[in-house]
Amino acid sequence: MFPDIWGALIASLQLVGDVLRQDADLPGHLGSVDLFWSSVGVAALALLSIGVGQSGVLFLNRVRGVRAVVSGGLALALLIGLRLMEALVTWGVALAVTRRPLPLMTILTVFLLSLAPHVFNALTFLPFVGLGIARVLELWSFLVLFVLLGAAYALPGWLALLIALSGWLLMQLLARLLAAPLGWVSSRLWTLATGEPVIVTGANILTGGPFVPVAASAPGHGDPEPAAGGRA
């Protein structure tokens, strides 16, 4: 039988609403397999919206065709990798603080659900306001993470906030250490795929923004200024 894609989509949208409303029943199911797979649906919706926002940024920078596909693919791959790494780092911090070996599936569920605010990420391509929207969504996502992390470990608010902040700070440090090699690899992959140069900055790595080719972003080419999510 074919999977019920429409039903899964509706269920994921309902779960997004539950997360954003902080449904009281949600924390009690954080360790369940069903909620994990539903949270994968939430993350898929968020990544789809992020992809739409990135496509808007590339369109405003006149990046089309193969270049746009390669740019968006690399950016999304880096974003997914960094999110997974952040989940592992935060899991390690929580384990060190609480001495409770919470199942990895639970912490992954928490992080996947924390992506729920990013279903609005498609709006970040808007000029002038896109960057502000992106920052609001990141803050909203962090608040969801903090609440769900506290519920998963049954922690007081201050300790859950400390763990979430510690994991985020360690992840920022780790990402900056990895920015140079990841940027070099991404630049090489871009050049091999498109034959054009690109500069992948640390900001691209940290924000998951699409890569804008040098020719498209250089002044004097008549291109518009990059919108939010573009090169920083």
Side-chain angles (χ1 to χ4, degrees), residues 4-195:
D4 185 4
I5 298 176
W6 179 250
L9 176 61
I10 295 299
S12 297
L13 288 171
Q14 290 174 341
L15 184 56
V16 168
D18 291 342
V19 173
L20 299 183
R21 291 195 310 269
Q22 295 185 16
D23 191 303
D25 294 331
L26 190 61
H29 299 89
L30 283 176
S32 71
V33 175
D34 288 341
L35 183 58
F36 170 74
W37 287 114
S38 296
S39 69
V40 171
V42 171
L45 289 174
L47 289 175
L48 177 62
S49 183
I50 291 171
V52 172
Q54 290 181 348
S55 298
V57 172
L58 294 171
F59 179 81
L60 291 177
N61 284 280
R62 300 182 184 176
V63 180
R64 308 283 197 278
V66 174
R67 296 186 305 162
V69 173
V70 174
S71 174
L74 286 173
L76 284 178
L78 284 173
L79 179 62
I80 292 170
L82 287 175
R83 289 287 182 175
L84 289 175
M85 195 180 301
E86 185 178 358
L88 292 174
V89 169
T90 304
W91 186 46
V93 172
L95 179 60
V97 172
T98 65
R99 303 295 181 182
R100 290 178 54 197
L102 204 67
L104 180 58
M105 186 180 70
T106 301
I107 199 71
L108 287 176
T109 301
V110 167
F111 267 83
L112 291 172
L113 291 177
S114 73
L115 292 174
H118 288 284
V119 296
F120 303 112
N121 205 278
L123 300 174
T124 59
F125 84 94
L126 295 172
F128 306 113
V129 299
L131 184 59
I133 293 174
R135 288 173 175 168
V136 169
L137 293 179
E138 281 296 330
L139 177 59
W140 194 358
S141 180
F142 179 82
L143 291 176
V144 172
L145 171 64
F146 149 61
V147 171
L148 292 180
L149 195 64
Y153 281 93
L155 297 173
W158 68 269
L159 188 54
L161 181 60
L162 178 64
I163 291 173
L165 278 175
S166 298
W168 182 83
L169 289 172
L170 283 174
M171 186 57 217
Q172 293 296 305
L173 176 61
L174 184 59
R176 280 171 170 78
L177 291 175
L178 294 174
L182 285 176
W184 182 85
V185 171
S186 299
S187 298
R188 289 294 299 164
L189 289 174
W190 169 277
T191 303
L192 288 173
T194 67

